[in-house]
Amino acid sequence: MSTGPRNTWDLWARSVPSLARESTLAPCPDPAATATRLAQARLADQYIVYEAAGGVRHFAAGSAVSLTAHADTVTARAAGRTWSSRTDGRPTTVFAAALSALSAAHGASAGGRHFYGWAAFELAHLLHADPGTAGDGPLLHALIPSVEVTLTGAETVVRAVDEAWLRKVEDLLAERTPRQPPAQGTSPERAEHLIAAGTAAYGRAVARTVEDIRAGLLEKAVVSRKVPLPAGAAVDFPATYLAGRRSNAPARSYLLDLGGYRAAGFSPETVLEVEESGRVSTQPLAGTRAYGPDPAENDRRRAELLRDPKEIHEHAVSVRLAWEEMAAVCRPGSVVAEEFMAVRPRGSVQHLASRVTGRLGEGAGPWDAFASLFPAITATGVSKRDALHALARHEAGPRGLYGGAVFRGSTAGALDAALVLRTVIGEGEETWLRAGAGVTAQSSPDREIEETCEKLRSVAPHLRFTAERRRRE
């Protein structure tokens, strides 16, 4: 059904059940394994594991209540009913209005009601470039869960819509870890074979992008390449997530089957972090060198990174634009660089890293900040509009989830959005990896190819497959 926008979201919000039941249990000795086990239980059609700051993990599941935005329409579902409203080209504004109605119906105290979701990269074209290239697929999707589990070092908290959901999760948590059939691993040779796929075509795309930059069309573009996985090998996403998380040190991690996408990822940075108090921050990472088991070699590469003119320029222009995007939604004078050009290890690579913070301005909310900062400048380029046009010319097909965001937020005003990089992604029958590198006037195709290989090694060696198991069954 479709009614006036305000009435639409009020009707939807009143149909969303509250998380009326809560239970506090002892902490789990291995939160990553516990969250993965909850995902493997397939409690509902949709689920997500989201690792937030400090290693706190959230598991959420459900299927009945969701919000989905396309370029022209936002659709809400609850209690077996559907509501929709036109976006007039402003999907994040309408999305925020629906969540505001949810806040009014359920209250914003004590952290509010949480939602989990993703934003596809193509939303960027609607926000910053050519709306006609945003496509007709979903651009934003959020789940308002029927059950939510928070795993910290101090306790395990379960919230659910009713007693049946609560007991179901409590029983799972009380079980001894079940013996799962071992997933088929990835040999080093197979991982390297995957990583090397398509490098020649990528090198040509980098060369064309350098020509565009030297012609003055843009300053920087983050050009990526897609690495399709073999059609006969079904990825075990939970097993991949657990194996990869053991070997990565991400800013955020996530495992999901949500809104048509499956993913397991180890995000090196956040697109933005908004606190209920109105503090907002973003964490641009740009400039890369490999990171491995040899401390001396890591130190050598770190020193090389800190004196490389191309990498420093790439990082500085990213921070400059992030600052400008923050200033557009923050109080005058509140934007500062709390950290500039530190070096952070992220799995198989190390990056130059900065953090820019501010305070939301009067009348601005978390989704205004999201619309300004999305997608991360480190996944697009400078200027963002010109970079998006360049990516449309030099990359084959839409990115989908890659370069977009996976997020957790609350109706009390918090929003935490991880940049989708270092991720294996599935949609329909297709599964793939993707990696990119920042291309500037000083770039060489060989070095940018090498950088994508370094980044892919954060995921490819940890892929786990279910094909052998399915054949046995």
Side-chain angles (χ1 to χ4, degrees), residues 132-275:
T133 60
D136 55 6
L139 302 176
L140 274 168
H141 179 79
L143 169 74
I144 294 83
S146 297
V147 64
E148 182 179 25
V149 182
T150 299
L151 302 160
T152 73
E155 62 185 9
T156 300
V157 179
V158 184
R159 299 179 182 89
V161 294
D162 57 32
E163 192 72 16
W165 268 106
L166 189 73
R167 295 302 172 213
K168 189 185 302 184
V169 173
E170 286 181 335
D171 289 346
L172 275 171
L173 291 170
E175 289 178 2
R176 298 179 60 184
T177 303
R179 293 184 179 181
Q180 294 287 337
Q184 179 185 354
T186 305
S187 69
E189 294 78 14
R190 187 181 188 188
E192 289 300 311
H193 178 74
L194 289 171
I195 286 167
T199 53
Y202 178 73
R204 291 191 292 271
V206 170
R208 292 194 298 271
T209 305
V210 171
E211 291 174 0
D212 286 353
I213 293 169
R214 292 176 178 173
L217 299 181
L218 70 160
E219 192 170 353
K220 169 189 170 182
V222 182
V223 182
S224 67
R225 62 184 179 96
K226 185 175 182 179
V227 181
L229 300 186
V235 170
D236 185 328
F237 283 86
T240 296
Y241 171 77
L242 192 57
R245 184 60 187 87
R246 302 296 197 206
S247 299
N248 277 279
R252 302 289 187 270
S253 73
Y254 41 80
L255 167 67
L256 61 87
D257 189 340
L258 188 66
Y261 282 113
R262 306 177 304 283
F266 319 102
S267 174
E269 64 182 277
T270 53
V271 178
L272 84 165
E273 301 161 47
V274 184
E275 299 175 3

Side-chain angles (χ1 to χ4, degrees), residues 13-332:
R14 289 198 293 268
S15 300
V16 175
S18 300
L19 295 183
R21 305 297 297 164
E22 180 174 323
S23 176
T24 301
L25 309 172
C28 299
D30 189 341
T34 299
T36 302
R37 184 155 54 91
L38 290 171
Q40 289 170 324
R42 301 299 308 185
L43 293 168
D45 291 343
Q46 299 188 74
Y47 74 80
I48 182 171
V49 173
Y50 190 84
E51 180 184 5
V56 174
R57 285 174 176 81
H58 304 278
F59 168 82
S63 58
V65 184
S66 64
L67 275 174
T68 306
H70 291 73
D72 56 358
T73 307
V74 173
T75 301
R77 296 174 179 84
R81 302 172 65 191
T82 300
W83 295 262
S84 64
S85 178
R86 303 287 296 179
T87 67
D88 296 324
R90 300 175 295 115
T92 55
T93 300
V94 179
F95 210 74
L99 293 169
S100 178
L102 189 64
S103 176
H106 292 261
S109 61
R113 185 72 188 274
H114 294 116
F115 53 86
Y116 298 78
W118 51 256
F121 182 81
E122 281 62 46
L123 176 63
H125 295 287
L126 202 62
L127 294 172
H128 305 294
D130 180 6
T133 60
D136 55 6
L139 302 176
L140 274 168
H141 179 79
L143 169 74
I144 294 83
S146 297
V147 64
E148 182 179 25
V149 182
T150 299
L151 302 160
T152 73
E155 62 185 9
T156 300
V157 179
V158 184
R159 299 179 182 89
V161 294
D162 57 32
E163 192 72 16
W165 268 106
L166 189 73
R167 295 302 172 213
K168 189 185 302 184
V169 173
E170 286 181 335
D171 289 346
L172 275 171
L173 291 170
E175 289 178 2
R176 298 179 60 184
T177 303
R179 293 184 179 181
Q180 294 287 337
Q184 179 185 354
T186 305
S187 69
E189 294 78 14
R190 187 181 188 188
E192 289 300 311
H193 178 74
L194 289 171
I195 286 167
T199 53
Y202 178 73
R204 291 191 292 271
V206 170
R208 292 194 298 271
T209 305
V210 171
E211 291 174 0
D212 286 353
I213 293 169
R214 292 176 178 173
L217 299 181
L218 70 160
E219 192 170 353
K220 169 189 170 182
V222 182
V223 182
S224 67
R225 62 184 179 96
K226 185 175 182 179
V227 181
L229 300 186
V235 170
D236 185 328
F237 283 86
T240 296
Y241 171 77
L242 192 57
R245 184 60 187 87
R246 302 296 197 206
S247 299
N248 277 279
R252 302 289 187 270
S253 73
Y254 41 80
L255 167 67
L256 61 87
D257 189 340
L258 188 66
Y261 282 113
R262 306 177 304 283
F266 319 102
S267 174
E269 64 182 277
T270 53
V271 178
L272 84 165
E273 301 161 47
V274 184
E275 299 175 3
E276 292 177 23
S277 64
R279 183 181 187 272
V280 58
S281 70
T282 188
Q283 185 189 33
L285 271 66
T288 306
R289 284 295 184 274
Y291 189 84
D294 185 340
E297 182 64 10
N298 290 335
D299 288 344
R300 185 193 68 76
R301 290 168 176 158
R302 179 181 186 277
E304 181 183 272
L305 180 59
L306 285 166
R307 63 174 181 264
D308 187 308
K310 182 266 177 184
E311 304 287 6
I312 292 170
H313 174 258
E314 179 188 346
H315 186 80
V317 297
S318 298
V319 174
R320 183 194 73 208
L321 187 57
W323 182 295
E324 293 170 358
E325 292 174 341
M326 288 276 287
V329 293
C330 288
R331 298 176 191 171

Side-chain angles (χ1 to χ4, degrees), residues 280 323-324 326-338 356-362:
V280 58
W323 182 295
E324 293 170 358
M326 288 276 287
V329 293
C330 288
R331 298 176 191 171
S334 70
V335 179
V336 297
E338 291 190 350
V356 183
T357 67
R359 307 287 300 186
L360 286 176
E362 185 176 354

